[in-house]
Amino acid sequence: MDDFKEVLEEAREESPAIVTQDDPSGRPWTWEEDGYTVIRSNARSGPGCHDNCGVLMYVKDGVLEKIEGDPENPFNQGRLCPRCLAFKEMLYHKDRLKYPLKRKKEDRGKNTFERISWDEAYDIIEREMKAVIEKYGAKSIWVTQGTGRDINGYGPLMAQYFGTPNYGTGFLSGQACYAPRMFSTAFKSGGLFVCDYSQFFPDRYDDPRWSPPEYALIWGNNPVVANSDGMLGHWIVECMKRGTKLIVMDPMLTWMAGKADVFIQLRPGTDAALAIAMAHQIIEDGLEDKEFIEKWCYGFDEFKAHVKQFPPSWAAEICGVDEDLIIEAARKLGGARSACLQWGVSMDHTSEGFITGMACYDLMALTGNFEKPGGMLAARPAFGMSVTWLPNVDVWAECTPPVDEADTMNTDYPALKVIAAISPDMLLTAMETGEPYPIKAMFMMQNNAIACMGAAPQRILPALQSMEFNVCVDLFMTPTVLACADVVLPAACFAERMGITGHQPYALGAIAQAIEPVGECKSDQRIIYEVGERFVDESYKQWDDEHGMYDYLLRNSGFTYDSLRDRTWAYPEFEYYKHEKGLLRADGKPGFATATGLYNFVCIEMPYFGMPDVPVYEEPPESPISRPDLAEKYPLVLTTGARPWGFFHSEHRQSPSMRALHPNPTVSIHPETAAKYGISEGDKVRIENNFGACVQTAHLTKRLRKDTVSADHAWWFPERGADDGTLFGVMEVNINQLVPMRPGKIGLGASYKSQLCSISKVEE
C-alpha cells in the first residue's frame, strides 16, 4: 500500500496542469443557511436515472429536510424532475433495505429473511463463491448490473475480484441498450457522438462559440419525459426557443411531435427503411454536403449507388406513412445549416438495431453535421475519467489478477467478441442447460431483472432459482430479490455517500455526502471492494477506504476527490472541428478514429460479421410483413417500454407522488382499435402473443397509430407486501413475457419494441 501511495503521488505530479472552462471561485460546496446545513452535490445513483442533476440538500439535525435544484449548476440550471423532488419519499421509505439479510436456499421466493451483520454477510459470500469457483471455475459466476447509472463503471471490478469475465447488464437480450448504437458509431466514426445543445459549455446558451441546431431529428425518443443517456429534455426546448425546429419519428404523437415541422408516425421496427430512403432523397436532390464528403468520408460512391435502389415510395409502404412526409423531412434536413440526431433506445430495441443506428447516423455525415456548432460532437470522457462514461477495461488492471477473457460467454456472436461484451442470451441458456459451460452463481447489483430488463421472465425466474448461490444488492425488496437472493446487501442513495458523476462526457463532478446512511447501508462501490478484498491478496489493495478509491480513480485527472468536491463540477476545455485538428485520432492526424481515418459510409469490418457493409433494411422477425401467418392471430404491433413521468424503469413504485402520476400499468390503444375489440378506458386488457401474455389497464388515445399498442414495462406492486406469494404481482402484468430472449444475428439488438400481439377485454 505504501508503494502504491508513492506511485499515486508521482502520477499526480506528472499530470498536466488542470485547465477548465469554469471558475469555481465563490462556489462553496457546503454552507449554513437559516438553521440548515446546505450541501451542494450532483444527484447520481439510485433511486434516479442516467443524469447528474445539480442539487442543494438542506440538512438539519442529521436529517435531509428538503432538496432543490442548484441554479448555478450548468447541467440542469436549477431544474429537477419529479423523481428528485420526491427523493425523500424513497430515502426515508419504511421499506428501505437497511441491513444485510440472509435466507435459506430452499426458501427462495419466501419472505423468511433474517438480519445479519456485514461481517457475516461477507463470510457467507466468501464461503459460497469460493465453493462455486472450486467446483465449476470462476467463469461460472455471472456479475450483473441494472441500467447504466453510477454502478456502470464499477461493476467490472466486482467481476475481476471473482476472476470471472462474465460481467454486464443482466438478462438484457442483445445488450439492447446503447451497446448497438455504440457498435454502430464505433465503426462509422470511431466513437460515440452526441447532439450539441451547448452542454459542453459552463455558460451554456450564452457561449458565443455555440449556435443552436437548425433541426433536431428526434428519433424514437421522447426526451422531455425520458431525459435519457446523460441529456435533459428541456435542453431541446431551450434550443427551440432559440430557433431550433424538429423532425420527429415516433409511432406516438408525443409533445415534441406536436411541435414538429415534420412528424413521421411510422410502424415500430421500420426505422432503418425510413433512414435509407431519406438518404436517397437527399442525394437525389443534390443536398449532400459535398465538401465534407470529399474530405472526410469513405465509400460515398458505393453508398450512393446502394441507396439509389430505395426511394421514399419504397419506405412509405414499409413504414405505413405518406411518401411526401419522407421527402419533406429529407429536404429540410438536407437544406439545414446544422442538424443533430437525438435517438433513443428504440434504435436498439429491434433485432438488428445496430443497422438502424448506422442508417440514421449516415444522415448526419451525409449532411456534414459532425463537429460543428449545433451538430454531432465527440463524446470523450471528461478529464479522461472513463469509469464515469464509457468504461475502459484497463481501469481496474492493478486491482486484481488478470482475468482470462477467452472464457467470456460470447462465443456465438463475433460482434460481442470484438467489443469484449458478454451475451446475456447465451448466459441464460447456460443457466438452463450448462452449455457451453455452467453458470452457477449470481452477484446482482441494482438489477430487478424479473420485472424490468429481462426478456422472457418466465425463463429467468426458474433459472435464477436454480442457482447454487445468489447475492442481490439493492435499495428495496424487489421481485427479483424476493425470488432468488440468498444474501441481500443494502445500498446507499446519493445523499448518503460520496462519489463521482458519470454517464456524460461534458463535465466531471462530485457526489457529496449529506447525511449518514439509513440503517447500515453502504455505497455500491464500497460493497464491491469490501467483498472483493476477500478474493485477492494484500498486493492488490490500492486504497484503504472509499475516499482513497476515488483518489485512485482520479489519479491521472489532476483532481483529488476533495478538490473535485470543493468545486462540485469541472468543465474541461472544448473545441469544435476536432476532426480537422487531429484531436480525434491517437496518432494526432486529422480525421476520424476509424480504420480508414474517415467517416465510413462503407464499413469494411462488417463482412467479417457476415453483414453487408452498408445499411440494409430487414423486417422484424415477427411483423405483419415477415409473418403474415402469425399476424392473422396476433394482428397488432406491440411496442413496449416508453418511459412515463415519474418512474425510472422499475423504481419509484413505492413513491406516493410517483404513483399518483401513474397509478397502474397501462396499455395505450387507439380508440377505434379499442372499439373493435369492445374495450373502454380503464378496462383490464389481456395482451397475448406466441411467446406469452399479461394483463394491463387500457388507456385510449388518438395519439397512437391504429395498428399499434404500447404497453408499460417494469411494473410490480410493492404495496402487496412480500408475504402475498405473488412476488409483488410482477408476472401478472409483465409485458416482457411477450418478448423473447433472442438477439440479432451478431448478438446485438433485440425485439423489445416490434412484436405482434392480440388484445381482449378481461371480464371481471
Side-chain angles (χ1 to χ4, degrees):
M1 176 64 73
D2 290 339
D3 290 342
F4 177 74
K5 288 179 178 177
E6 292 179 8
V7 172
L8 194 63
E9 290 304 320
E10 289 176 5
R12 290 193 183 120
E13 290 173 4
E14 294 173 2
S15 297
I18 306 172
V19 181
T20 63
Q21 295 185 71
D22 64 294
D23 181 0
S25 301
R27 190 170 74 211
W29 76 273
T30 184
W31 64 92
E32 300 298 318
E33 180 181 314
D34 298 331
Y36 295 101
T37 299
V38 185
I39 295 92
R40 189 196 303 268
S41 186
N42 296 279
R44 184 67 174 160
S45 79
C49 63
H50 288 301
D51 298 309
N52 302 269
C53 290
V55 293
L56 301 177
M57 296 181 284
Y58 291 77
V59 176
K60 183 180 291 186
D61 298 327
V63 176
L64 179 64
E65 296 287 353
K66 62 179 179 177
I67 185 169
E68 296 177 350
D70 182 355
E72 294 184 52
N73 192 304
F75 183 76
N76 58 313
Q77 297 179 308
R79 295 174 172 92
L80 289 180
C81 80
R83 290 186 295 265
C84 261
L85 293 173
F87 174 63
K88 282 179 58 181
E89 294 179 3
M90 301 293 279
L91 173 66
Y92 293 123
H93 197 284
K94 63 180 179 60
D95 293 336
R96 268 287 299 278
L97 292 172
K98 301 180 181 69
Y99 308 99
L101 305 172
K102 71 175 181 180
R103 176 179 61 182
K104 295 178 181 178
K105 180 178 176 180
E106 58 268 25
D107 283 347
R108 289 174 181 170
K110 300 176 183 178
N111 186 26
T112 58
F113 291 100
E114 59 179 283
R115 177 180 169 180
I116 56 175
S117 69
W118 279 98
D119 283 342
E120 184 179 357
Y122 289 162
D123 288 343
I124 296 170
I125 294 169
E126 180 181 6
R127 181 183 69 243
E128 296 298 328
M129 288 297 191
K130 285 183 175 178
V132 168
I133 292 169
E134 176 69 24
K135 188 172 182 180
Y136 302 102
K139 64 185 179 182
S140 64
I141 301 171
W142 183 5
V143 177
T144 79
Q145 66 165 70
T147 188
R149 298 179 308 191
D150 186 61
I151 194 66
N152 198 41
Y154 302 89
L157 178 59
M158 189 72 260
Q160 286 180 214
Y161 278 131
F162 290 139
T164 179
N166 291 316
Y167 166 78
T169 47
F171 304 100
L172 180 62
S173 182
Q175 295 274 1
C177 181
Y178 231 140
R181 281 172 286 165
M182 290 169 62
F183 185 82
S184 301
T185 58
F187 284 120
K188 286 286 184 179
S189 62
L192 187 68
F193 287 67
V194 298
C195 288
D196 179 14
Y197 302 123
S198 80
Q199 70 272 34
F200 287 87
F201 304 116
D203 50 355
R204 295 303 301 262
Y205 314 104
D206 296 328
D207 195 291
R209 294 170 289 179
W210 178 76
S211 60
E214 183 176 350
Y215 273 97
L217 276 68
I218 313 297
W219 206 312
N221 190 221
N222 188 13
V224 293
V225 176
N227 296 301
S228 52
D229 305 327
M231 69 83 59
L232 297 177
H234 74 257
W235 296 352
I236 301 178
V237 179
E238 291 296 334
C239 289
M240 292 164 67
K241 293 176 183 178
R242 293 160 174 81
T244 296
K245 294 168 282 190
L246 306 181
I247 299 171
V248 176
M249 292 78 169
D250 203 298
M252 178 73 78
L253 175 61
T254 62
W255 180 88
M256 283 199 159
K259 304 293 184 291
D261 271 21
V262 184
F263 170 44
I264 300 179
Q265 196 169 22
L266 74 172
R267 171 166 62 93
T270 63
D271 307 77
L274 175 59
I276 292 168
M278 287 179 64
H280 168 105
Q281 191 64 45
I282 289 170
I283 296 172
E284 184 74 14
D285 291 340
L287 296 174
E288 72 273 19
D289 188 326
K290 297 176 181 61
E291 181 180 358
F292 180 83
I293 291 168
E294 176 67 26
K295 287 184 177 180
W296 305 111
C297 296
Y298 171 82
F300 175 70
D301 290 340
E302 296 94 323
F303 176 79
K304 178 180 178 179
H306 170 65
V307 301
K308 188 179 178 70
Q309 308 169 76
F310 305 108
S313 58
W314 164 80
E317 184 175 355
I318 290 172
C319 301
V321 301
D322 291 339
E323 177 183 354
D324 290 345
L325 286 176
I326 301 175
I327 295 171
E328 182 183 1
R331 288 176 174 167
K332 287 186 171 179
L333 173 62
R337 70 173 184 278
S338 63
C340 67
L341 173 64
Q342 179 62 45
W343 51 4
V345 76
S346 298
M347 296 289 184
D348 309 323
H349 280 183
T350 57
S351 58
E352 305 301 338
F354 70 98
I355 292 290
T356 303
M358 287 181 169
C360 297
Y361 207 50
D362 281 338
L363 294 173
M364 295 294 98
L366 193 60
T367 52
N369 281 298
F370 278 90
E371 285 298 320
K372 62 194 267 188
M376 304 296 288
L377 305 178
R380 298 291 181 85
F383 302 100
M385 280 294 296
S386 65
V387 74
T388 65
W389 172 234
L390 299 175
N392 183 309
V393 294
D394 297 325
V395 167
W396 308 105
E398 300 167 310
C399 302
T400 68
V403 174
D404 188 353
E405 299 297 335
D407 288 331
T408 306
M409 189 78 80
N410 59 18
T411 51
D412 289 355
Y413 302 107
L416 297 182
K417 287 191 283 186
V418 166
I419 63 176
I422 62 163
S423 167
D425 305 271
M426 286 186 67
L427 281 155
L428 176 56
T429 298
M431 293 168 71
E432 296 170 323
T433 68
E435 299 293 337
Y437 57 80
I439 297 296
K440 292 295 184 180
M442 303 289 296
F443 195 97
M444 305 180 70
M445 296 176 287
Q446 313 285 13
N447 184 0
N448 189 6
I450 293 171
C452 189
M453 69 168 58
Q458 62 270 44
R459 289 178 59 194
I460 296 169
L461 176 56
L464 281 173
Q465 292 185 326
S466 72
M467 292 294 95
E468 295 199 2
F469 185 60
N470 295 316
V471 179
C472 288
V473 183
D474 219 310
L475 302 170
F476 290 91
M477 183 71 66
T478 67
T480 303
V481 174
L482 182 58
C484 75
D486 302 310
V487 171
V488 184
L489 304 178
C493 297
F494 66 81
E496 302 168 305
R497 45 155 300 196
M498 62 173 62
I500 302 173
T501 57
H503 214 81
Q504 61 177 30
Y506 334 119
L508 188 62
I511 303 168
Q513 184 172 344
I515 58 172
E516 289 301 310
V518 172
E520 296 178 2
C521 295
K522 297 184 180 184
S523 73
D524 296 285
Q525 288 75 6
R526 183 177 172 190
I527 290 170
I528 287 169
Y529 73 74
E530 287 186 346
V531 170
E533 287 172 356
R534 302 290 189 105
F535 292 83
V536 294
D537 61 40
E538 188 70 21
S539 65
Y540 290 103
K541 188 176 180 182
Q542 310 292 12
W543 54 80
D544 293 315
D545 53 25
E546 197 166 355
H547 194 288
M549 183 187 70
Y550 293 114
D551 281 349
Y552 165 83
L553 284 172
L554 290 162
R555 65 193 182 280
N556 296 316
S557 70
F559 294 102
T560 63
Y561 173 77
D562 285 345
S563 69
L564 186 62
R565 181 205 58 197
D566 289 351
R567 61 182 297 145
T568 312
W569 62 82
Y571 278 73
E573 289 185 301
F574 176 82
E575 292 188 56
Y576 285 113
Y577 302 104
K578 289 184 279 295
H579 64 297
E580 298 181 3
K581 303 172 183 177
L583 298 176
L584 295 180
R585 292 168 51 118
D587 59 10
K589 295 180 180 179
F592 291 84
T594 61
T596 63
L598 302 168
Y599 180 92
N600 291 320
F601 280 113
V602 172
C603 291
I604 59 177
E605 298 90 351
M606 291 307 291
Y608 169 78
F609 306 113
M611 303 296 290
D613 55 10
V614 290
V616 174
Y617 172 68
E618 289 189 23
E619 275 288 325
E622 292 85 22
S623 83
I625 307 303
S626 64
R627 290 294 306 274
D629 58 324
L630 202 59
E632 289 184 10
K633 185 174 182 181
Y634 306 112
L636 299 172
V637 177
L638 171 65
T639 182
T640 68
R643 190 168 296 159
W645 289 108
F647 301 136
F648 185 71
H649 294 303
S650 69
E651 292 184 358
H652 304 98
R653 298 307 190 281
Q654 302 90 346
S655 164
S657 298
M658 301 305 99
R659 285 295 288 274
L661 290 173
H662 200 75
N664 295 296
T666 59
V667 54
S668 296
I669 311 167
H670 192 280
E672 292 183 23
T673 306
K676 181 178 178 181
Y677 295 98
I679 295 170
S680 301
E681 178 73 23
D683 284 347
K684 296 294 183 183
V685 175
R686 179 178 174 84
I687 316 164
E688 185 174 8
N689 68 9
N690 50 312
F691 297 110
C694 72
V695 174
Q696 296 191 359
T697 301
H699 171 59
L700 276 50
T701 175
K702 293 182 179 180
R703 293 174 175 263
L704 187 64
R705 284 176 60 103
K706 295 178 185 178
D707 62 356
T708 300
V709 297
S710 176
D712 283 352
H713 80 303
W715 265 92
W716 56 294
F717 303 98
E719 64 270 22
R720 289 193 181 184
D723 294 309
D724 84 332
T726 69
L727 300 178
F728 303 105
V730 64
M731 301 301 278
E732 299 165 18
V733 295
N734 193 336
I735 195 64
N736 283 359
Q737 292 173 106
L738 286 76
V739 178
M741 281 288 289
R742 182 194 60 205
K745 291 186 289 293
I746 66 170
L748 291 171
S751 301
Y752 284 84
K753 283 183 165 57
S754 56
Q755 291 300 318
L756 294 174
C757 75
S758 64
I759 56 174
S760 58
K761 180 179 178 180
V762 176
E763 300 296 339
E764 295 185 87

